[in-house]
Amino acid sequence: AQTVTQSQPEMSVQEAETVTLSCTYDTSESDYYLFWYKQPPSRQMILVIRQEAYKQQNATENRFSVNFQKAAKSFSLKISDSQLGDAAMYFCAYRSNTGNQFYFGTGTSLTVIP
Amino acid sequence: DAGITQSPRHKVTETGTPVTLRCHQTENHRYMYWYRQDPGHGLRLIHYSYGVKDTDKGEVSDGYSVSRSKTEDFLLTLESATSSQTSVYFCAISEGHLNTIYFGEGSWLTVV
């Protein structure tokens, strides 16, 4: 099984500021997919952003962007102009290109301070 | 909306009783999954299915069984519930051409 590590159990950010959530993964594969999911208090799992490993360009979705460092096996999520609605648990996930299993980190709980 | 419905959404059951959770999808996705979510552990895969009657174990499959007799339904059964199986259970489907996983709303199970 692949290992996905989120080393920050909790993070906080001031409203309108920028925060970066860290994720590292362990794999011997060269082609795979990486994801960030958001889980608000409702517990609904919401896809935030997705990155294909073969693409060098970092994915961006509005205020959310990633810093994908393939050699370092690092996949961090940057949230710009943080809003109160960004408060949630964030999960990093990995999927191999050869299989259909998805592996998740343990999550980072983000608090947004007004 | 990936068209995933989980039932029941909330259940309290007694230790030793069997419990079945149902996942229903409306869009004929091939891959279906059952995860459990616990504090400090994130989401852990219990079982998954890659087609009708085709299932395989995940990392925490002990004490659980699954069945998929129709494309749209994936059942998770706790043969004899234990307190360690108190958790939030998520069903998910995989969109093949997008290589993305989508989740249902979760089922809260409490074993007393």
Side-chain angles (χ1 to χ4, degrees):
Chain A
Q2 310 298 335
T3 302
V4 178
T5 302
Q6 294 180 249
S7 59
Q8 306 154 315
E10 297 178 345
M11 293 279 287
S12 62
V13 62
Q14 290 286 144
E15 194 175 3
E17 296 296 309
T18 296
V19 65
T20 298
L21 308 184
S22 301
C23 174
T24 59
Y25 55 94
D26 182 26
T27 185
S28 58
E29 299 172 330
S30 60
D31 201 10
Y32 47 87
Y33 301 85
L34 297 165
F35 309 84
W36 279 98
Y37 282 84
K38 171 185 177 182
Q39 187 182 48
S42 68
R43 294 292 193 117
Q44 181 68 39
M45 293 286 288
I46 303 165
L47 176 66
V48 175
I49 201 163
R50 172 176 172 267
Q51 174 82 42
E52 293 90 344
Y54 65 85
K55 290 186 177 180
Q56 293 186 342
Q57 185 173 5
N58 290 326
T60 299
E61 289 287 342
N62 300 313
R63 298 182 294 108
F64 298 87
S65 61
V66 299
N67 182 5
F68 173 47
Q69 301 290 328
K70 191 172 184 178
K73 299 178 184 177
S74 172
F75 183 61
S76 60
L77 175 70
K78 186 172 80 171
I79 306 174
S80 304
D81 185 25
S82 295
Q83 301 175 0
L84 296 177
D86 294 333
M89 182 74 83
Y90 286 83
F91 291 97
C92 178
Y94 170 101
R95 177 197 177 276
S96 165
N97 190 41
T98 57
N100 244 284
Q101 291 194 40
F102 293 75
Y103 300 94
F104 289 82
T106 53
T108 297
S109 179
L110 179 66
T111 299
V112 180
I113 303 167
Chain B
D1 183 4
I4 306 169
T5 305
Q6 291 185 228
S7 60
R9 293 291 314 283
H10 299 270
K11 185 174 182 65
V12 180
T13 192
E14 294 186 347
T15 299
T17 61
V19 176
T20 295
L21 305 180
R22 179 184 183 235
C23 179
H24 179 78
Q25 58 141 331
T26 58
E27 299 182 13
N28 291 321
H29 298 299
R30 179 181 177 190
Y31 295 94
M32 299 184 75
Y33 309 81
W34 278 107
Y35 285 87
R36 61 177 289 175
Q37 183 180 12
D38 305 287
H41 292 279
L43 289 112
R44 293 181 291 175
L45 181 65
I46 306 171
H47 282 280
Y48 68 100
S49 170
Y50 44 96
V52 173
K53 298 185 179 179
D54 291 324
T55 65
D56 206 348
K57 296 179 179 180
E59 60 183 309
V60 290
S61 60
D62 287 349
Y64 301 95
S65 63
V66 290
S67 66
R68 193 171 179 194
S69 58
K70 298 184 292 184
T71 299
E72 59 266 35
D73 289 328
F74 191 34
L75 304 180
L76 176 71
T77 297
L78 290 64
E79 303 290 349
S80 178
T82 67
S83 58
S84 65
Q85 293 175 312
T86 292
S87 187
V88 182
Y89 291 86
F90 285 94
C91 176
I93 60 91
S94 179
E95 274 285 354
H97 65 285
L98 292 178
N99 294 303
T100 303
I101 190 169
Y102 295 97
F103 290 86
E105 295 181 321
S107 293
W108 276 251
L109 178 65
T110 302
V111 183
V112 298

